[in-house]
Amino acid sequence: MAFWSSTSVFTSKVPRKILFMFTLSLSVTYLFYSLMSCYNSLQFPLQENYVYQGRLVTEETTFVTLREKLYSASQGFTEFTEAERTTAFSTVKDHAEAEQRTVEWIRTQASPTKSAATTAAAAYHTTALEREHQEFSTTDSELRMNCTSDYGEKKLPQAIIIGVKKGGTRALLEALRVHPDVRAVGNEPHFFDRNYEKGLDWYRDLMPSTLEGQITMEKTPSYFVTNHAPKRIHSMARDIKLIIVVRNPVTRAISDYTQTLSKKPEIPTFEVLAFKNRTLGLIDASWSALRIGIYALHLESWMQYFPLSQMHFVSGERLIVDPAGEMAKVQDFLGLKRIVTDKHFYFNKTKGFPCLKKPEDSSTPRCLGKSKGRTHPKIDADVIRRLHKFYKPFNMMFYQMTGQNFEWELEDDSESRGSQD
């Protein structure tokens, strides 16, 4: 009875509406705090999943983008710009920082105007990079060296003018350099005879940079008479193309002597050097000026390593009287379009050989330097006759080996053709 009386008093003092509101507020408060306690467990897994999904999308996009860039670089150098390449390589190297920038970008919803190349490189994973390297077999260092659209790539030569000294090699090289698909070293590297110990990297670094479709060349005439040059060149490139400019060996020997005489005026006369005993007619074949002209002897060493199909023999005499005709054959041998034609040549009567000119240009033709075109000293006719007789069997052997007849025996007077250097 007492309990009901106390309840009655309480309900009488506090209106029922206030009691209901109080109870409702307690319920709502309890529900709110219950939801807040579960918020972290509900929020962070979702947030991590969002980041993970964002990274997945970014990595997938990056993989495709960088693949397209690498493929473009492997097909042609123009589409993969230097700025993009620098960004990609620097980002891959700093991979951890790139990952952090990616997460921050996703969390803060970075501006969509950010460059595609930078965003893609920043999210690129090491595993994806390894897959790309396996697919394209291209390392970072190779890309830095090879994919340079501005300068091309330095390569070992695909063709070499290996001889012969004083045969017309400089004239041939200068004519070839007119061709847009030929890049050649100006100076003679002498790698395979004098600088071989410096290594192929040193040799490659001497070469000019070339673009796709261009041929790298060099000329060193002494290779033809160097015993170990054939083996060394073969070990570098078995499929290399070799060009040999040959000339009447008697005229060539006189030209060789003329060059030496201009540097050393005190040397003995040609007649003295050419014979061991002139009275007996014993020719000194050990003298380099005469030994170089025994072409069959030197060619035999080259044929041990290279087939004739990889060699092309240029007539030094025809290169003077018909430079366009000889150049057409050389361009065919190298697989080049016949761009250097008769329009590129002008015969200089003073020097006695053709000079180069641009067909669309009316400027003065460009001739070889003062070291070319020296007047030969007068040589005794009997000495010339004896030398022709000495060389004849070697020339015949050379004709048979090459399958070409250079008709040097038809030259009764060595001064009647090619009397100048």
Side-chain angles (χ1 to χ4, degrees):
M1 187 68 180
F3 171 78
W4 287 107
S5 62
S6 61
T7 303
S8 173
V9 173
F10 179 78
T11 54
S12 62
K13 292 182 177 182
V14 181
R16 292 183 177 182
K17 182 180 293 188
I18 295 176
L19 183 61
F20 172 77
M21 294 296 294
F22 177 76
T23 304
L24 181 61
S25 64
L26 287 176
S27 300
V28 171
T29 302
Y30 174 79
L31 179 62
F32 176 79
Y33 279 101
S34 298
L35 291 173
M36 288 296 295
S37 65
C38 297
Y39 177 75
N40 289 338
S41 62
L42 292 173
Q43 179 187 25
F44 292 118
L46 288 175
Q47 186 179 35
E48 290 176 359
N49 188 47
Y50 170 66
V51 173
Y52 175 73
Q53 290 177 354
R55 288 170 59 180
L56 266 180
V57 172
T58 308
E59 289 169 15
E60 184 175 341
T61 305
T62 300
F63 191 82
V64 174
T65 303
L66 193 54
R67 176 182 301 196
E68 292 174 352
K69 291 296 182 183
L70 287 173
Y71 182 77
S72 299
S74 66
Q75 296 298 315
F77 301 118
T78 56
E79 296 182 3
F80 198 44
T81 65
E82 185 68 29
E84 290 172 327
R85 182 169 59 257
T86 304
T87 303
F89 290 139
S90 61
T91 309
V92 169
K93 284 184 176 181
D94 200 2
H95 178 67
E97 182 181 350
E99 284 287 324
Q100 184 63 31
R101 286 202 302 270
T102 305
V103 174
E104 292 175 358
W105 179 84
I106 295 172
R107 286 180 177 176
T108 58
Q109 297 182 357
S111 171
T113 59
K114 188 176 182 179
S115 69
T118 305
T119 304
Y124 197 77
H125 282 186
T126 304
T127 54
L129 181 62
E130 292 174 351
R131 290 196 299 270
E132 285 299 294
H133 282 196
Q134 293 174 359
E135 181 174 349
F136 293 100
S137 300
T138 307
T139 63
D140 290 345
S141 59
E142 287 173 335
L143 285 173
R144 290 192 200 95
M145 179 182 69
N146 298 337
C147 299
T148 51
S149 58
D150 293 335
Y151 307 106
E153 173 188 357
K154 288 193 173 185
K155 300 178 183 178
L156 293 170
Q158 294 94 54
I160 302 178
I161 300 175
I162 61 172
V164 297
K165 180 184 178 184
K166 309 311 297 178
T169 58
R170 173 56 62 182
L172 176 63
L173 182 69
E174 292 304 316
L176 279 171
R177 293 176 76 179
V178 175
H179 200 291
D181 290 334
V182 173
R183 297 297 309 280
V185 185
N187 297 326
E188 297 175 2
H190 284 279
F191 175 67
F192 296 102
D193 59 348
R194 302 177 188 173
N195 299 301
Y196 194 67
E197 71 283 352
K198 295 183 179 180
L200 287 175
D201 290 337
W202 177 87
Y203 184 47
R204 183 189 291 107
D205 194 54
L206 296 178
M207 300 299 129
S209 298
T210 56
L211 299 176
E212 190 68 27
Q214 290 183 318
I215 295 177
T216 303
M217 291 189 64
E218 70 115 319
K219 89 156 182 91
T220 304
S222 56
Y223 290 162
F224 187 65
V225 297
T226 302
N227 292 332
H228 40 260
K231 182 178 179 180
R232 290 176 173 179
I233 295 178
H234 184 265
S235 65
M236 178 193 72
R238 296 183 178 183
D239 60 346
I240 197 167
K241 295 184 177 182
L242 307 172
I243 299 176
I244 306 99
V245 186
V246 290
R247 185 181 184 185
N248 185 321
V250 177
T251 310
R252 197 221 66 82
I254 298 173
S255 178
D256 197 338
Y257 172 79
T258 303
Q259 183 183 53
T260 305
L261 183 65
S262 67
K263 299 176 182 179
K264 300 178 180 179
E266 71 279 4
I267 64 173
T269 63
F270 182 87
E271 291 84 352
V272 171
L273 294 172
F275 290 91
K276 289 183 178 181
N277 188 318
R278 186 173 178 181
T279 303
L280 298 176
L282 297 178
I283 293 176
D284 188 1
S286 64
W287 182 32
S288 62
L290 296 182
R291 186 174 178 81
I292 291 174
I294 309 176
Y295 303 138
L297 176 66
H298 307 299
L299 180 60
E300 188 176 8
S301 300
W302 289 90
M303 293 183 69
Q304 293 178 13
Y305 293 91
F306 298 97
L308 281 175
S309 59
Q310 288 178 226
M311 303 182 197
H312 180 73
F313 300 90
V314 177
S315 169
E317 287 81 14
R318 288 196 291 269
L319 188 61
I320 294 176
V321 298
D322 182 21
E326 287 299 300
M327 284 303 301
K329 298 175 184 177
V330 174
Q331 291 173 95
D332 291 346
F333 172 69
L334 295 175
L336 298 171
K337 185 179 179 181
R338 291 188 179 184
I339 292 180
V340 183
T341 64
D342 54 354
K343 297 180 180 179
H344 290 84
F345 297 99
Y346 167 80
F347 190 81
N348 187 306
K349 294 181 179 180
T350 303
K351 283 186 169 291
F353 54 75
C355 297
L356 290 168
K357 66 176 183 178
K358 295 180 179 179
E360 70 280 358
D361 194 355
S362 59
S363 59
T364 303
R366 180 168 58 89
C367 296
L368 298 178
K370 294 180 180 179
S371 62
K372 309 298 179 181
R374 301 185 186 97
T375 301
H376 291 175
K378 183 69 176 178
I379 307 298
D380 189 285
D382 180 64
V383 172
I384 293 176
R385 182 185 61 80
R386 288 175 181 266
L387 288 177
H388 273 293
K389 184 178 180 180
F390 167 77
Y391 279 118
K392 184 174 182 178
F394 297 111
N395 291 344
M396 293 301 175
M397 187 182 301
F398 183 66
Y399 299 165
Q400 186 176 15
M401 294 171 71
T402 61
Q404 299 182 43
N405 186 350
F406 294 92
E407 301 181 343
W408 293 321
E409 286 65 40
L410 299 179
E411 301 178 31
D412 297 328
D413 184 357
S414 64
E415 294 183 357
S416 64
R417 185 184 298 179
S419 61
Q420 289 184 314
D421 184 7

